[in-house]
Amino acid sequence: MTEHAIDRELLEKIADLTGKPAGAFNLRKDSGCEARQSTEHIEISNKEDKPGIDIRIKDGTVGEKCFIPVIITKSGLQEMVYNDFFIGENCDVEIVAGCGIHNSGCDESRHDGIHTFYVGKNSRVHYAEKHYGDGDGTGGRIMNPQTIVYLEEGATLQMDTVQIRGVDSTKRYTKIVCGKGAEAVITERLLTHGDQVADSDMVIELNGEDAKGRVISRSVGQDHSTQVFRPCVVGNARCFGHVQCDSIIMGEARIQSVPEIAANSPDAQLIHEAAIGKIAGDQLLKLQTLGLTAEEAEDRILKGFLA
């Protein structure tokens, strides 16, 4: 799909791609479409009024994947992209997104992306999004994703969002609106280091009877990095919501977790919990007695925590 080593490395990091994927895909590189393929059941087309694409998935589509990765390799490039997903009824599909920035220059490279999902009745969607930055330049690697999801009756969303490494600044906004019997599960994994800054706002509105929403956040803050996480579940009917935030803090990092639950119905059942702490000394000691160095033991614990 691409002949450049940097492109291939970014695509493998953010979308686990090592070649041309089977099925539907759209590869965006440096504000242009590098490659695209639609299928019988998934159509990808350019927006006519602004940068971005429309992805339309037909009713009853089952077992198909759609890849929409974005890579930036030019220093100083800044873009805003709008992607809309129209997912029919009774579907079961996986969508793999993500953004990778390689910046070897001195100017800021930035990707702002707004993804809006309209998920039809009784459909199941697994949405995976990874963010990664690298390059030896002094210019910033900035990513500001927004994800807005509307789940119709009986629809389900499993959203996995991961920030791997190298992103200097990110401001995330996620909003999911659940109809009757709909369910949203968001798993967020985040690593910051150096002087990086990560700010995340997340809202799940449980509007329909028997709707369910769950947020699972795990983060690691290293060096002098800063994290702020504000998840909120709002219950407007008979529903169930759960927010769980766990963080490991290291060095001179700062982490702020502000979980919120809001009940606007006497039949809403909502729970939240949060914990921030350092790596337990007995965990490090146990691994060191098995032959690992202190650095290897720490790395093993962090990988397990974020897995």
Side-chain angles (χ1 to χ4, degrees):
M1 189 162 59
T2 178
E3 298 179 356
H4 301 287
I6 291 175
D7 296 358
R8 292 197 300 269
E9 180 181 357
L10 290 176
L11 288 172
E12 185 173 1
K13 289 285 189 182
I14 66 173
D16 298 322
L17 287 176
T18 56
K20 180 180 177 180
F25 67 85
N26 185 90
L27 169 59
R28 182 180 180 88
K29 177 185 175 183
D30 295 331
S31 294
C33 180
E34 185 79 358
R36 175 182 297 168
Q37 178 172 285
S38 295
T39 65
E40 178 183 355
H41 302 108
I42 302 177
E43 179 187 1
I44 303 175
S45 59
N46 285 337
K47 284 189 172 298
E48 297 182 356
D49 57 341
K50 50 191 172 184
I53 55 177
D54 289 331
I55 301 94
R56 300 182 183 276
I57 301 178
K58 294 181 179 180
D59 291 351
T61 301
V62 175
E64 294 199 29
K65 279 188 177 183
C66 179
F67 292 86
I68 56 162
V70 174
I71 59 175
I72 293 176
T73 61
K74 292 182 179 180
S75 183
L77 189 150
Q78 300 186 23
E79 63 176 5
M80 170 69 83
V81 180
Y82 301 83
N83 295 334
D84 289 348
F85 301 80
F86 303 91
I87 299 163
E89 297 182 0
N90 301 305
C91 296
D92 191 342
V93 295
E94 182 175 355
I95 298 169
V96 181
C99 179
I101 296 178
H102 178 90
N103 191 349
S104 293
C106 58
D107 297 318
E108 176 183 294
S109 295
R110 173 173 172 170
H111 174 79
D112 293 353
I114 300 178
H115 289 180
T116 305
F117 292 77
Y118 304 90
V119 184
K121 291 182 179 180
N122 301 315
S123 285
R124 297 173 59 87
V125 177
H126 180 202
Y127 175 58
E129 182 179 74
K130 293 182 180 179
H131 293 157
Y132 171 74
D134 69 7
D136 55 6
T138 58
R141 294 170 288 270
I142 314 298
M143 302 182 194
N144 297 319
Q146 293 188 39
T147 305
I148 302 170
V149 183
Y150 300 94
L151 297 175
E152 292 189 17
E153 181 178 346
T156 301
L157 172 73
Q158 170 71 53
M159 178 176 173
D160 298 326
T161 176
V162 179
Q163 182 169 305
I164 308 169
R165 212 170 242 286
V167 180
D168 295 308
S169 175
T170 183
K171 186 171 180 61
R172 303 162 175 260
Y173 176 74
T174 305
K175 180 180 180 180
I176 301 178
V177 180
C178 296
K180 181 180 179 180
E183 181 175 5
V185 179
I186 306 175
T187 302
E188 181 178 69
R189 290 174 287 168
L190 175 68
L191 172 67
T192 56
H193 57 94
D195 295 315
Q196 295 172 353
V197 176
D199 191 296
S200 178
D201 284 278
M202 189 178 294
V203 179
I204 299 180
E205 292 185 3
L206 303 175
N207 292 340
E209 294 287 320
D210 300 318
K212 297 179 181 178
R214 186 177 183 188
V215 177
I216 305 164
S217 174
R218 288 195 168 188
S219 71
V220 175
Q222 298 177 323
D223 306 321
H224 291 85
S225 63
T226 301
Q227 299 178 12
V228 180
F229 183 46
R230 291 176 291 267
C232 177
V233 174
V234 182
N236 294 320
R238 184 180 66 208
C239 60
F240 176 80
H242 183 208
V243 178
Q244 179 182 342
C245 309
D246 295 298
S247 300
I248 292 178
I249 187 167
M250 306 170 66
E252 301 299 322
R254 292 180 294 169
I255 299 177
Q256 184 179 7
S257 182
V258 192
E260 178 185 352
I261 50 178
N264 298 317
S265 166
D267 295 320
Q269 183 181 355
L270 308 176
I271 304 167
H272 77 69
E273 49 190 315
I276 301 173
K278 62 181 182 179
I279 297 175
D282 58 342
Q283 290 180 302
L284 290 171
L285 181 60
K286 182 177 180 179
L287 290 175
Q288 287 178 266
T289 60
L290 297 175
L292 275 65
T293 66
E295 291 76 14
E296 291 171 337
E298 182 179 278
D299 184 64
R300 181 73 62 86
I301 291 170
L302 295 181
K303 285 181 178 178
F305 179 73
L306 292 172

